[in-house]
Amino acid sequence: MPRTVALFSLGGAPGVTTVALALAGTWPEEAGAVLLEADAAGGDVATWHRLPPSPGLTDLAAAARRRPAGPATATGPGEHAQGLPGGLSVCVAPVTADRAGGAVRLLADASPMLATGPGPAVVTDLGRLTPRSPTAHLARHADTALLLTRDDTAQLRRVKESVPAFAVGALAQRLVERPAPVPPETAEVVA
């Protein structure tokens, strides 16, 4: 089973944070999972659940920046997380893009620290991803990266035309299609 999972979109707000919360909250292993909200545009979870901004992503990024070179001595997302009702641990992102983006850039430089051994898995909400960005770097270091999209023509075309840019960046692509009828005009774009 993967120990790090990154979820992202290419635009259109298809519910990445909601799916990431659901995945982390239902993680099948006994150790569970921690949700790392690493959306460079800013996070939503702290606002939705009235949590303070710290501990969170900025604390994790600061710890990553301070870690000494050499063996992995850094702390992981679980050590900078807060509990939600029901017990899910969440490392929340700041709500503004300037603070969240800076923390994501620092974290991308230290992405091996997200690799987990024993303990909870890390489910990372990357929000909207662009090629060669810090969030794309985090996605490349995940065991599994999942692209979420809406099933409309514009979104599917964005996915189709973005694949070459992500292939250059060595980000493995997996397309998960929900079982729903696809209008003929949409099928032509994907084909």
Side-chain angles (χ1 to χ4, degrees):
M1 176 154 281
R3 300 299 302 154
T4 57
V5 178
L7 290 89
F8 63 94
S9 74
L10 300 177
V16 174
T17 302
T18 302
V19 172
L21 279 164
L23 179 60
T26 59
W27 194 259
E29 294 176 344
E30 187 174 328
V34 60
L35 174 66
L36 172 59
E37 192 178 29
D39 185 339
D44 296 321
V45 175
T47 301
W48 290 347
H49 294 279
R50 296 188 173 119
L51 298 174
S54 183
L57 181 67
T58 53
D59 303 299
L60 177 61
R65 186 175 188 196
R66 287 191 306 265
R67 79 179 173 145
T73 56
T75 59
E79 295 181 37
H80 301 281
Q82 302 179 50
L84 293 181
L88 177 61
S89 293
V90 179
C91 183
V92 296
V95 297
T96 61
D98 60 333
R99 294 194 66 223
V104 169
R105 280 188 299 278
L106 285 173
L107 197 57
D109 292 339
S111 55
M113 76 179 291
L114 299 180
T116 60
V122 178
V123 174
T124 307
D125 168 8
L126 297 175
R128 184 179 296 178
L129 190 110
T130 57
R132 294 171 291 284
S133 67
T135 51
H137 184 76
L138 291 175
R140 280 192 296 277
H141 282 84
D143 294 326
T144 301
L146 298 172
L147 166 62
L148 281 80
T149 188
R150 294 193 186 280
D151 61 350
D152 65 55
T153 304
Q155 295 301 317
L156 293 173
R157 184 172 191 139
R158 181 175 284 132
V159 170
K160 178 184 176 190
E161 293 184 10
S162 296
V163 168
F166 285 113
V168 168
L171 176 60
Q173 300 281 322
R174 291 168 183 85
L175 179 60
V176 179
E177 192 175 323
R178 71 178 190 184
V182 178
E185 66 273 11
T186 303
E188 291 174 21
V189 171
V190 178

